[in-house]
């Protein structure tokens, strides 16, 4: 198996690992409150948000990122509860059909990306198992996972290598600076979706790549900073039964994202992020 | 969502999906109408708006709507049914019947052009498909579909082609 590329200073600002399961009707707001008691020591802060819609990658149906129609359902009491640590860089999200674990980079913090195998995966595993134990203890049921999702969100900040969004080609492969002659690029929003397949060539899910131009305002800054927000999301079904099938997809997803990140960005960008020799 | 999820404020185009990432920018717009749908494609059948309204109407069914203790129809399954129609229906596809079931599911049915096709959402992610083709062109189906909708897509394509 090809060794994964690694970067000393990657531009990643958030990593999400999500397990979606068949709805657990008994896992409602009161039970979420009870769950928080188990997480409270580590995640003392909470927030309440609307629940996310379920998303399934299917063969024969256009990518979940490209709905032909946009339907908006009136708001229901369905809730997504956040458990946050004190510094706000670690987060657990729960709702009736999903368990999500986030790491995010906190502004003005010297905390570096904590690395997938060193921190992100172990912490997801620990918290997910605590969640499952809670469900078992409270006789709510066990999650039957139908989709797993891993997302890496990268903020590629303007610097010496690029000075305007028109310099897209300095950071991303496949984009020519001459694509728009005598025009100033104001904004850009690129999306691509690719099939993910298992070792037997069967459909697993999709890898979604999104490149968006934007501006970032750091606390205390006097000017907005131009950025490219580069998001890679791998979403798909478990690779087998039970927890093992779920974790096998998580590792596959991470691998696909890292390889794609390296392939889609330029050698110039790799030098900025200090790519390590293989 | 940029305001509520980001420590840094961003101004970008919406990403078009919501994965639970704190950096998502898509903000669900509040609307005076519970359902908002726009036909952005020229390949949509003319009956689609009416059928979407029928699906929409199922939201209002209260518990015990059938006098035998039926639960309310799951709203996520309504969304899934609507999105499926939007994705697979074509101008010559016949309109389905929209049927709520006694277990709180929604079913789309076609009984026309020699094809009996029933598509029932057992859950937001599992769809049960029953297919009988009197002409024998399509193999019968009586199965749950979760990740591979190609058989359903093929059935609807055949149904459409006979119009």
């Amino acid at each position: 198996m090809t060794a994964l590329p690694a970067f000393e200073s990657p531009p990643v600002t958030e990593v999400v690992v999500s397990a979606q399961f068949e709805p657990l009707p008994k896992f409602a707001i009161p039970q979420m409150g009870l769950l928080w008691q188990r997480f409270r020591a580590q995640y003392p802060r909470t927030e309440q948000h609307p629940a996310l819609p379920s998303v399934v990658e299917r063969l024969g149906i256009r990518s979940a990122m490209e709905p032909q129609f946009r339907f908006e359902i009136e708001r229901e009491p369905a809730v997504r509860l956040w458990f946050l640590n004190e510094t706000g860089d670690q987060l657990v999200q729960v709702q009736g059909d999903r368990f999500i674990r986030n790491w995010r980079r906190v502004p003005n913090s010297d905390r570096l990306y904590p690395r997938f195998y060193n921190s992100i995966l172990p912490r997801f595993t620990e918290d997910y198992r605590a969640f499952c134990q809670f469900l078992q203890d409270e006789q709510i049921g066990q999650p039957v996972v139908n989709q797993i999702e891993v997302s890496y969100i990268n903020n590629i900040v303007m610097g010496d290598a690029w000075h305007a969004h028109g310099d897209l080609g300095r950071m991303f492969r496949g984009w020519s600076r001459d694509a728009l002659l005598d025009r100033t690029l104001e904004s850009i929003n690129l999306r691509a979706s690719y099939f993910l397949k298992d070792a037997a060539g069967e459909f697993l899910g999709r890898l979604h790549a999104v490149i968006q131009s934007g501006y970032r305002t750091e606390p205390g800054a006097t000017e907005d900073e131009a950025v490219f927000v580069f998001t890679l999301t791998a979403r798909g079904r478990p690779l087998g039964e039970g927890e093992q099938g779920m974790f096998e997809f998580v590792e596959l997803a991470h691998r696909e994202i890292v390889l794609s990140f390296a392939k889609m960005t330029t050698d110039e960008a790799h030098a900025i992020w200090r790519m390590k020799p293989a | 969502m940029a305001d509520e999820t980001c420590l840094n404020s961003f101004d970008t185009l919406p990403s078009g999906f919501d994965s639970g990432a704190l950096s998502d920018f898509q903000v669900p717009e509040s609307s005076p109408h519970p359902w908002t749908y726009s036909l952005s494609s020229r390949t949509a059948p003319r009956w689609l708006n009416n059928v979407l309204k029928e699906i929409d109407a199922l939201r209002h069914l209260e518990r015990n709507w059938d006098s035998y203790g039926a639960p309310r129809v799951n709203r996520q399954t309504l969304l899934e049914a609507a999105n499926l129609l939007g994705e697979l229906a074509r101008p010559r596809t016949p309109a389905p019947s929209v049927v709520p079931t006694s277990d709180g599911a929604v079913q789309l049915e076609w009984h026309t052009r020699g094809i009996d096709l029933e598509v029932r959402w057992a859950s937001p992610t599992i769809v049960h498909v029953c297919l009988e083709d009197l002409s024998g062109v399509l193999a019968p189906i009586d199965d749950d579909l979760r990740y591979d909708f190609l058989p359903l897509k093929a059935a609807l394509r055949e149904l459409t082609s006979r119009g």
Side-chain angles (χ1 to χ4, degrees):
Chain A
M1 190 176 285
T2 308
L4 286 182
F7 300 86
E8 289 186 15
S9 184
V12 58
T13 56
E14 185 171 351
V15 180
V16 187
V17 183
S18 166
Q20 178 179 284
F21 41 85
E22 297 299 316
L24 290 169
K26 294 181 185 177
F27 186 55
I29 295 172
Q31 287 73 34
M32 293 180 198
L34 286 176
L35 175 67
W36 182 47
Q37 295 305 315
R38 304 227 180 166
F39 284 92
R40 189 170 185 171
Q42 198 174 1
Y43 305 98
R45 296 163 46 198
T46 63
E47 290 182 19
Q48 191 170 299
H49 297 270
L52 297 168
S54 64
V55 181
V56 179
E57 298 288 352
R58 295 186 170 112
L59 192 59
I61 298 291
R62 196 188 314 224
S63 158
M65 284 191 68
E66 295 289 344
Q68 186 177 6
F69 298 92
R70 183 184 164 90
F71 299 101
E72 297 169 0
I73 308 176
E74 65 182 10
R75 297 216 180 248
E76 291 192 301
V79 156
R80 175 172 40 129
L81 205 55
W82 289 10
F83 308 147
L84 296 110
N85 67 348
E86 279 291 358
T87 51
D89 65 334
Q90 301 286 351
L91 169 65
V92 169
Q93 304 185 57
V94 293
Q95 62 183 53
D97 65 349
R98 200 149 354 161
F99 177 90
I100 307 170
R101 183 71 174 70
N102 300 61
W103 165 82
R104 61 181 176 180
R105 190 186 298 270
V106 175
N108 300 327
S109 166
D110 58 0
R111 294 191 179 198
L112 301 176
Y113 166 54
R115 305 292 163 174
F116 185 77
Y117 283 102
N118 288 350
S119 176
I120 289 174
L121 182 58
R123 297 195 73 163
F124 171 82
T125 304
E126 178 183 344
D127 290 342
Y128 178 76
R129 285 175 175 164
F131 170 67
C132 291
Q133 186 63 53
F134 166 82
L135 295 178
Q136 183 176 320
D137 293 344
E138 297 292 327
Q139 299 179 321
I140 292 172
Q142 284 297 289
V144 177
V145 175
N146 53 49
Q147 288 283 272
I148 305 101
E149 184 179 302
V150 178
S151 286
Y152 270 66
I153 297 102
N154 302 276
N155 284 358
I156 300 171
V157 181
M158 184 177 67
D160 293 337
W162 64 281
H163 306 286
H165 289 123
D167 293 332
L168 179 71
R170 301 281 294 268
M171 295 288 105
F172 296 97
R173 295 185 196 275
W175 184 267
S176 168
R177 287 201 66 181
D178 298 326
L180 293 170
L181 295 173
D182 301 323
R183 295 275 190 269
T184 300
L185 182 75
E186 182 185 29
S187 65
I188 193 158
N189 185 7
L190 299 173
R191 301 179 192 177
S193 296
Y194 306 90
F195 283 147
L196 292 174
K197 296 185 179 180
D198 64 14
E202 298 293 323
F203 175 79
L204 262 182
R206 290 182 175 85
L207 174 71
H208 303 283
V210 179
I211 300 170
Q212 297 170 284
S213 58
Y215 295 90
R216 182 173 76 174
T217 303
E218 288 278 356
T222 56
E223 288 184 7
D224 292 341
E225 210 173 16
V227 298
F228 288 114
V229 182
F230 180 30
T231 304
L232 286 162
T233 297
R235 182 189 296 116
R237 61 172 173 83
L239 274 158
E241 296 296 321
E243 190 182 89
Q244 182 176 350
M246 179 183 78
F247 283 111
E248 284 182 18
F249 183 89
V250 170
E251 298 200 31
L252 178 148
H254 170 254
R255 180 175 184 81
E256 292 290 339
I257 286 171
V258 173
L259 288 173
S260 300
F261 176 83
K263 286 181 184 176
M264 294 180 73
T265 50
T266 63
D267 293 340
E268 186 175 3
H270 294 172
I272 294 170
W273 304 326
R274 300 203 296 277
M275 186 174 183
K276 298 177 185 177
Chain B
M1 185 162 288
D3 291 336
E4 67 176 283
T5 61
C6 297
L7 293 180
N8 307 324
S9 61
F10 284 97
D11 179 14
T12 70
L13 297 172
S15 66
F17 76 106
D18 188 356
S19 68
L22 306 182
S23 311
D24 288 337
F25 309 115
Q26 183 180 27
V27 180
E29 297 170 2
S30 61
S31 168
H33 304 289
W35 291 81
T36 302
Y37 39 83
S38 61
L39 297 176
S40 59
S41 166
R42 295 187 185 136
T43 63
R46 282 186 286 180
W47 49 258
L48 187 58
N49 262 340
N50 287 335
V51 172
L52 291 177
K53 288 176 184 175
E54 288 183 46
I55 294 174
D56 184 19
L58 297 184
R59 292 186 297 116
H60 301 293
L61 290 177
E62 297 292 337
R63 187 184 295 274
N64 197 36
W65 56 266
D66 66 349
S67 305
Y68 293 97
R72 298 184 68 184
V73 179
N74 183 286
R75 295 186 183 201
Q76 184 66 35
T77 64
L78 294 178
L79 183 63
E80 292 287 333
N83 278 325
L84 182 90
L85 275 182
E87 181 68 29
L88 295 183
R90 292 295 177 265
R92 295 190 312 176
T93 306
S97 301
V98 180
V99 181
T101 67
S102 58
D103 57 354
V106 60
Q107 183 160 294
L108 302 178
E109 299 182 6
W110 290 263
H111 302 285
T112 184
R113 303 179 185 176
I115 288 176
D116 292 315
L117 175 61
E118 296 175 354
V119 183
R120 185 174 70 86
W121 273 258
S123 78
T125 54
I126 301 173
V127 173
H128 189 84
V129 176
C130 283
L131 168 70
E132 287 287 345
D133 178 8
L134 297 179
S135 72
V137 170
L138 296 170
I141 300 175
D142 186 2
D143 203 1
D144 287 338
L145 303 185
R146 183 178 281 184
Y147 303 113
D148 183 357
F149 274 27
L150 287 176
L152 177 57
K153 190 174 183 178
L156 282 170
R157 185 175 297 151
E158 176 66 19
L159 180 65
T160 301
S161 72
R162 296 184 187 180

